[in-house]
Every structure is written in structure tokens, then in C-alpha cells.
Amino acid sequence: MAASQIQAFIFDLDGVITDTAEYHYLAWKKLAEELNIPFDRAFNETLKGVSRMDSLMKILNHVEPAPAFSAEELAHLAARKNRYYVELIQQITPQDLLPGIEVLLKDIKDRGIRIGLASASKNAMFVINKLGIACYFDEIVDAAQIKNGKPDPEIFLTAAKQLGSDPAVCVGIEDAEAGIRAIKSAGMFAVGVGTPDQMQEADYRVNGTAELAYPQIESAFFLKRKG
Ligand code: BG6
Ligand code: MG
């Protein structure tokens, strides 16, 4: 395979492969309301891709003065949100794969291109198993394996290393601003799923996963390399 061809795809999980972004939103909303902190979808956008504890800190700092909690209390609050979330993801089945995702995974695999997962979630393996798609992934990197969360590039660079691919010939797919920044900082081609406003820094953007297709992504990848 020529060095300029795409050698690996690295997928985000929540909001790209399945709509667990909605479950994270519902779980944080419940916790925030219990703490009397206003929480809406616009603010939730800033939490996408962000680790559990960093998300909690952002929520607490969303009001002034920020409520003060000890490290132990913070850990309990994060665990409480996770309980709400874990309750919601029990019901996931292969039917919950977002449109076009399984076709895309299969197409990439049939072309002999390697596939990785770069998820900030400690629940990633559970969700992947519920969806029944573990077989598509050559490497899975989750929050437990890295020190720095998105927008730091560490998770994407770790996935590329494990896949044995040069980041310059990797494509990352994300629905979060923090995730797009992580892909770009890793020196990869960034595919964004979302609105033009949310995905300003993406190299190629689609409105929804149903529009994700290998030929279009490859064309955009080559166009960028030429320009
Ligand atoms: C990311 C989500 O994938 O994982 C974030 O986009 C979430 O919303 C983060 O906070 C951490 O997930 P978890 O399951 O470890 O709390
Ligand atoms: Mg996501």
C-alpha cells in the first residue's frame, strides 16, 4: 500500500458509532438539576468528548460561586452520574448503531484498512460489546489507558501507534469539538459529524453518520494532501 493512502481509521464512540452522547447528556442533566445547576444542550456541547471528572468540574464551574466539594465528594458525584449513565446503556442492542456505521466499518475492513477506537469513556468496551461490533476493531484505546484526555492528541496517537500507522495517513472521526482538536493536533485527517458551527476545524464534515462513505472521505483526504 502506497504511503499516501489511508492506512487506518480511528473512530470516536459516543455520538459517532451510537447515540450514547444523548445518554451522557441525560445523566449529567439529572445530576446538575439535583445540584441546582442550570444545564442545557448548548452547554452540553462543551462536555462532548471530555472525561468524566473534567466534565463534572466544568459543570460545577458553570455557576458563580462554584460549589465547593472535597475530593471524596467529587468522586461520589462522578460515580453518581456514572450510575445514571450505566443504567441507560443497559438497553443498548445492535439496533442502536447509528445509520451507515456498520456499512462503513465493513467497507473499510474489506479494503484491508485497519480500524481503531479512541474513546474517552471508561464504559467503551461495555457499549462496543452491547452493539456487537468488537470484531471490526484491530485496536481499542479507552480512557483507562491514557493520561491526557481530548483535546490532547494522546488517545489518537496511542491508537495510531498500536495500529502501526503513521498519523499522517490516519483518519479520525469525531462528533465533539474537543475530539476534532485532538485529531488535528495528532496530525491526522479529521472527519466531523455535526453542524458547520460545531465542526469548524474538521477537514471534512457531514451532518449525520448516514452521510459517511469511504469514497467521499478518501477524495477529501487526497484533496487535502494535494493542496
Ligand atoms: C466521552 C463522552 O466519549 O466519554 C463524554 O463524549 C464522557 O461525554 C466521556 O464524559 C467519559 O465517559 P465515561 O463513560 O468514562 O464517564
Ligand atoms: Mg463523541
Side-chain angles (χ1 to χ4, degrees):
M1 192 181 279
S4 60
Q5 282 181 337
I6 298 173
Q7 282 179 10
F9 271 73
I10 304 173
F11 285 78
D12 171 46
L13 173 65
D14 297 321
V16 169
I17 288 179
T18 187
D19 200 12
T20 33
E22 182 66 13
Y23 295 151
H24 280 295
Y25 163 72
L26 293 172
W28 281 128
K29 187 168 156 58
K30 184 166 171 171
L31 183 79
E33 282 171 358
E34 286 166 358
L35 298 172
N36 286 319
I37 295 176
F39 194 86
D40 59 22
R41 285 187 183 273
F43 178 63
N44 182 62
E45 279 305 310
T46 69
L47 304 181
K48 285 189 176 172
V50 176
S51 76
R52 195 181 308 165
M53 192 47 86
D54 287 353
S55 297
L56 176 61
M57 297 316 293
K58 277 184 173 233
I59 291 168
L60 297 178
N61 287 315
H62 194 44
V63 283
E64 268 198 52
F69 291 106
S70 67
E72 199 187 347
E73 287 167 333
L74 290 173
H76 281 132
L77 289 173
R80 201 203 295 178
K81 181 269 175 177
N82 193 50
R83 279 198 302 278
Y84 299 154
Y85 177 69
V86 167
E87 206 179 304
L88 291 167
I89 59 177
Q90 298 306 314
Q91 51 188 276
I92 291 177
T93 72
Q95 308 282 354
D96 291 304
L97 278 166
L98 281 169
I101 289 296
E102 191 153 21
V103 171
L104 179 66
L105 287 168
K106 192 170 181 318
D107 191 12
I108 296 168
K109 202 137 198 83
D110 288 347
R111 291 170 192 269
I113 298 171
R114 290 169 70 73
I115 305 178
L117 186 85
S119 173
S121 172
K122 292 185 177 154
N123 295 295
M125 259 337 288
F126 179 86
V127 173
I128 288 288
N129 287 329
K130 280 275 189 190
L131 293 168
I133 52 166
C135 56
Y136 289 107
F137 294 92
D138 298 295
E139 296 293 337
I140 290 181
V141 184
D142 69 15
Q145 292 156 258
I146 52 144
K147 283 198 206 76
N148 308 298
K150 301 168 188 178
D152 190 281
E154 184 183 351
I155 195 162
F156 283 97
L157 290 174
T158 305
K161 195 167 172 200
Q162 292 187 7
L163 290 163
S165 293
D166 176 351
V169 283
C170 288
V171 172
I173 309 186
E174 266 285 354
D175 71 317
E177 286 178 38
I180 294 290
R181 252 176 280 147
I183 296 171
K184 299 293 293 178
S185 307
M188 299 178 184
F189 185 82
V191 174
V193 181
T195 64
D197 190 43
Q198 294 158 351
M199 295 292 119
Q200 279 176 31
E201 293 174 41
D203 295 307
Y204 175 73
R205 183 191 69 81
V206 292
N207 291 305
T209 55
E211 292 168 36
L212 288 171
Y214 182 85
Q216 280 85 339
I217 296 172
E218 188 188 49
S219 301
F221 174 84
F222 281 136
L223 207 65
K224 171 133 197 284
R225 282 185 81 88
K226 267 199 250 144

